[in-house]
Amino acid sequence: MDPTRTLAALAALTLLALAHAHTDAILELTDEQYYEMPRLFALDEWAGCRAARGVYCVGSFELSPERRPHALYDVMQRYSANWVDNFNHTRLHRGLCLPRSCASHAPPAPHVPRAQHYAAWFEACVNASMSAAYNLSAQLSRLEYCAGAGAEDDVTPLSASQRGFAGFVAALLALAALSTALDLTLSDHAKKGAEWTLAWSVPACWRALHAPPPRSARTDLASFDGLRVLTMLVVIVEHVCWITTHTYLTDTRIYEEIRGGVDVVLMTNSTLVVQIFFIMSSFLLAHKLLQQRRRGENVPPVATFVSTMINRIIRLSPSYWVVVWFAASWWERLGRGPMWAPLVASEAAVCRRKWWTHLLYLNNILYADDKCLIQTWYLAADLQLYALCLLLTLLLWRWRRAALLVLTALLLAALALLFTLAYSWHLVPTLVMHSPESVRVSYSGDMSFNLLYQSPLGNLPGALAGLLLAHLHHALLDNDVQLPKYKVFSCVSVWSVLLAACWVGVSPRALGRGPPARLPAAALAALERPIFSLFTCAALLGAINGVPSWVRRCLSWRGWACWARLSFGALLLHMPINKALVAARLMTSQLDRQTAIAEWFGVAAVSYLAALPLALLVELPAQRLQRALQTRASPPRPARPPHAPPASKADL
Ligand SMILES: *[C@@H]1O[C@H](CO)[C@@H](O)[C@H](O)[C@H]1NC(C)=O
Ligand SMILES: *[C@@H]1O[C@H](CO)[C@@H](O)[C@H](O)[C@H]1NC(C)=O
Ligand SMILES: *[C@@H]1O[C@H](CO)[C@@H](O)[C@H](O)[C@H]1NC(C)=O
């Protein structure tokens, strides 16, 4: 054998191995190694800087070695290569006070524009400290702002939108006062025919909030209320940690270390529970229609489609649009701090740009990379899928048995399509998608978020599962099947709750640590929602058919009803409230299990409290007004079955 060729082959192999080792991610570092790396986040004293008439700059820097080889930089790169769990440690984030922190680094050219001068000063200052301490040079990659004292001393005059919103709130309060006065003084006789004047009556709305939920004999929907509140609480804890990830963290070591813990995976991956909302929403829609079919009512397809969609939009929109208006107007005036502009003001600017997509319920599709009130992707996707499910139910109206087959086939087709897309575009499942750097930029440009998470397509399996559940339930009712008599089904249904939770907490472990391989990632990305939905549907089918279990007993507690009615407001408000609370901090934020617990319950309490005035002044009055006007337009028909609730409070 030719020795030179052997040598060359050996050299090539060694090079390959070296190259491999070089790009290989480091999964573990000791504490000593970890804290040798430069701190990722640091903030100077903010109030003191303003008092000293300094200029406060916030921005991000990219580090590079001044000369190679640079052992520390290699470690930083390889540790950051595990982007699923770790921040990118070659990217620093700083808030500094000029000239307090860097009097000696002022660049000499005072005739450049002032903004450029401060940016250059900021960069020189961080670069000098990195160079001295680590032999690394730092380049300013993103400047959030450089602002002198007095630049934002709240002297900005109110914009037209802000004045409009203030006037709107004043009008609401006046309406409520007037309506309440009328309600308290008019006789019952005088109220007849003038119900619309009483729509804003606060005591009447309060009673509506506390009304016992409607119950029906064969379908027990009582557990939906508890489920809605608990799901909302799960969403809130996930968002609490999510928002803190956006700000500057005091200690990134704890954050990165606990990311693999079962409880943290369960929490981070719990955004899957949004599927429960989709299931409930399409189930209730189909259930209401199929009930009409069982009663033999005449359901004209086109008229039903139009009126059901209009009712849905009227039910969702008033509170939603008010909150979007608030976010685009007053939100950014309500606080200040070093992180206020990057966190709140920037999002408010997006809201001013794309508010109209929210009015059209297309905010998850149009300008999908710009996030205003990120949680409202759900409302848009829900309305889009609601229309589709309504259409499917009306199309399958006549074929009772075939409906189940058609829906199952559609579900399988959706799965196949999702898997194909996930595989060909390298999409990743939920937990991987919530990687620290991706969260920091609110998933901007992330196809996994745009295509799987917030698009109607990605959530189609959940909606179809709810539709299937309703059709299955009615098929069982038609055949008079008593599910609690079937021991095996009862057992499966009760255990499904636990299986769903295990699926959320354990399924991401199948991918192993670090960046996942393509095929398993695509498979999990396509299957995680459908499998979670499957378990949820099995549990719900048991619950609505009266299979006894302690979970169902807890969820059916009557006390949940009022909280369930406030959940929609809490969904809208918890993000702006939480973000304002975090952005007003003067210091970096701590994020570990202990602070997460405290902030979870704090944010939940404030959100539900804030949802109360929203419900009493906007949501319930709008519904009462609509009902009053509808009954005026079409005088009460005696044909209306007494047990059909006038407006199904049940969805969301
Ligand atoms: C970390 O950030 C640097 C600089 O922005 C970038 O070049 C690098 O690709 C990032 N690393 C990872 C793993 O994303
Ligand atoms: C930086 O490099 C110089 C020259 O190579 C060396 O003397 C010094 O110890 C290095 N400093 C650090 C913090 O690594
Ligand atoms: C950072 O400082 C080093 C040494 O002082 C210098 O060579 C380098 O050009 C600087 N880099 C930037 C981006 O200013």
Side-chain angles (χ1 to χ4, degrees):
M1 202 195 254
D2 184 351
T4 43
R5 279 175 85 182
T6 322
L7 261 180
L10 260 179
L13 267 180
T14 329
L15 265 182
L16 253 181
L18 273 181
H20 185 69
H22 195 77
T23 53
D24 223 0
I26 299 183
L27 294 180
E28 303 284 350
L29 285 180
T30 63
D31 276 346
E32 287 82 355
Q33 287 172 316
Y34 190 92
Y35 288 104
E36 259 171 28
M37 302 192 288
R39 254 176 90 167
L40 268 195
F41 300 102
L43 285 178
D44 268 357
E45 186 181 54
W46 186 74
C49 184
R50 294 166 66 84
R53 310 249 124 217
V55 172
Y56 202 90
C57 292
V58 173
S60 306
F61 295 82
E62 276 176 19
L63 295 179
S64 51
E66 279 176 349
R67 61 188 82 75
R68 289 185 186 269
H70 196 295
L72 177 64
Y73 187 77
D74 285 348
V75 169
M76 285 159 58
Q77 255 185 334
R78 289 175 54 201
Y79 186 68
S80 310
N82 177 12
W83 50 270
V84 175
D85 295 317
N86 301 337
F87 285 99
N88 189 335
H89 285 258
T90 67
R91 219 180 272 161
L92 299 188
H93 310 274
R94 291 286 181 270
L96 281 188
C97 181
L98 310 175
R100 255 188 163 192
S101 293
C102 356
S104 57
H105 298 293
H111 46 267
V112 298
R114 208 176 309 165
Q116 246 175 26
H117 174 69
Y118 288 137
W121 193 349
F122 184 33
E123 182 174 43
C125 179
V126 173
N127 184 39
S129 66
M130 282 300 125
S131 185
Y134 303 98
N135 280 341
L136 290 170
S137 87
Q139 200 177 5
L140 186 62
S141 61
R142 182 187 164 88
L143 180 68
E144 300 291 350
Y145 67 87
C146 273
E152 31 147 337
D153 268 343
D154 289 350
V155 284
T156 23
L158 292 180
S159 69
S161 157
Q162 286 162 349
R163 265 177 286 157
F165 189 81
F168 172 75
V169 172
L172 276 185
L173 292 173
L175 263 178
L178 196 68
S179 207
T180 306
L182 283 178
D183 193 16
L184 296 179
T185 52
L186 286 186
S187 68
D188 281 352
H189 182 70
K191 284 179 190 171
K192 277 256 156 52
E195 278 91 357
W196 61 274
T197 57
L198 308 177
W200 263 269
S201 161
V202 174
C205 290
W206 178 261
R207 280 194 301 275
L209 194 60
H210 286 88
R215 307 255 143 156
S216 98
R218 287 297 305 276
T219 307
D220 180 5
L221 299 180
S223 51
F224 277 38
D225 280 340
L227 190 58
R228 200 166 285 130
V229 179
L230 291 187
T231 307
M232 198 58 237
L233 286 180
V234 170
V235 169
I236 290 179
V237 67
E238 208 279 332
H239 285 164
V240 160
C241 300
W242 187 84
I243 284 185
T244 316
T245 308
H246 270 258
T247 186
Y248 283 19
L249 292 185
T250 309
D251 188 285
T252 47
R253 173 67 159 170
I254 299 176
Y255 177 92
E256 291 169 356
E257 230 173 15
I258 65 177
R259 255 183 87 81
V262 174
D263 53 342
V264 179
V265 170
L266 192 65
M267 184 280 297
T268 315
N269 208 20
S270 69
T271 42
L272 285 182
V273 298
V274 179
Q275 297 307 311
I276 297 180
F277 285 143
F278 283 108
I279 293 172
M280 288 200 285
S281 149
S282 62
F283 170 82
L284 290 170
L285 163 73
H287 174 59
K288 197 165 158 228
L289 288 169
L290 296 182
Q291 259 180 331
Q292 291 179 337
R293 184 174 77 179
R294 288 168 59 73
R295 285 198 296 264
E297 283 174 30
N298 177 31
V299 178
V302 176
T304 308
F305 183 83
V306 173
S307 69
T308 309
M309 285 314 291
I310 291 181
N311 273 334
R312 181 77 175 174
I313 291 174
I314 292 181
R315 271 181 40 68
L316 293 181
S317 301
S319 330
Y320 176 29
W321 292 349
V322 167
V323 173
V324 170
W325 191 3
F326 166 78
S329 58
W330 278 88
W331 187 26
E332 66 174 322
R333 292 189 83 96
L334 298 187
R336 48 199 203 159
M339 298 309 295
W340 190 264
L343 290 182
V344 174
S346 66
E347 188 173 335
V350 173
C351 292
R352 279 193 292 275
R353 212 162 52 238
K354 67 176 282 194
W355 57 270
W356 57 274
T357 62
H358 289 259
L359 300 200
L360 297 175
Y361 289 90
L362 291 173
N363 49 303
N364 60 335
I365 297 172
L366 299 178
Y367 302 109
D369 282 337
D370 300 331
K371 311 293 190 307
C372 157
L373 299 176
I374 190 169
Q375 81 280 20
T376 59
W377 70 264
Y378 162 73
L379 297 179
D382 179 65
L383 194 78
Q384 292 150 10
L385 288 170
Y386 196 82
L388 180 73
C389 290
L390 180 56
L391 201 63
L392 278 175
T393 311
L394 292 173
L395 283 177
L396 297 173
W397 196 252
R398 305 228 161 269
W399 321 341
R400 303 198 169 206
R401 242 155 238 236
L404 285 174
L405 289 180
V406 172
L407 290 174
T408 313
L410 277 178
L411 185 60
L412 292 178
L415 282 190
L417 178 61
L418 284 171
F419 174 75
T420 315
L421 289 178
Y423 187 77
S424 37
W425 290 355
H426 294 263
L427 304 186
V428 292
T430 309
L431 185 82
V432 179
M433 189 194 78
H434 293 313
S435 66
E437 291 291 339
S438 204
V439 168
R440 280 194 61 78
V441 295
S442 296
Y443 314 106
S444 184
D446 186 342
M447 280 306 282
S448 301
F449 187 84
N450 289 344
L451 203 74
L452 293 180
Y453 196 80
Q454 70 169 352
S455 78
L457 176 63
N459 296 290
L460 182 60
L464 284 179
L467 212 50
L468 256 175
L469 179 64
H471 281 84
L472 187 60
H473 177 59
H474 278 264
L476 294 176
L477 287 183
D478 286 343
N479 294 309
D480 204 20
V481 179
Q482 303 283 341
L483 275 183
K485 282 194 202 145
Y486 295 85
K487 288 281 165 290
V488 176
F489 172 79
S490 302
C491 190
V492 168
S493 155
V494 171
W495 281 95
S496 287
V497 178
L498 201 66
L499 287 177
C502 285
W503 176 253
V504 173
V506 176
S507 63
R509 301 202 152 221
L511 300 179
R513 289 199 61 190
R518 182 175 176 185
L519 183 65
L524 189 59
L527 287 178
E528 56 182 352
R529 291 176 189 81
I531 291 186
F532 179 79
S533 304
L534 184 75
F535 290 136
T536 309
C537 284
L540 281 178
L541 187 62
I544 59 184
N545 280 290
V547 170
S549 81
W550 62 268
V551 179
R552 170 168 162 258
R553 264 207 306 283
C554 292
L555 293 180
S556 304
W557 174 51
R558 276 167 180 265
W560 292 122
C562 166
W563 297 103
R565 289 180 181 130
L566 290 176
S567 288
F568 181 54
L571 170 75
L572 291 171
L573 290 170
H574 75 280
M575 290 292 262
I577 289 176
N578 191 1
K579 209 162 191 184
L581 292 175
V582 167
R585 286 182 193 154
L586 297 178
M587 304 293 292
T588 54
S589 301
Q590 192 177 337
L591 180 56
D592 48 27
R593 292 188 172 97
Q594 292 79 357
T595 43
I597 291 172
E599 286 177 20
W600 175 14
F601 289 105
V603 169
V606 179
S607 305
Y608 272 93
L609 270 182
L612 185 63
L614 189 66
L616 291 181
L617 292 176
V618 180
E619 191 181 348
L620 293 171
Q623 278 166 33
R624 287 165 52 83
L625 186 67
Q626 184 209 0
R627 215 173 305 150
L629 294 179
Q630 255 174 6
T631 44
R632 258 169 81 92
S634 54
R637 280 174 302 157
R640 189 183 190 108
H643 50 278
S648 155
K649 264 308 307 178
D651 357 6
L652 206 117

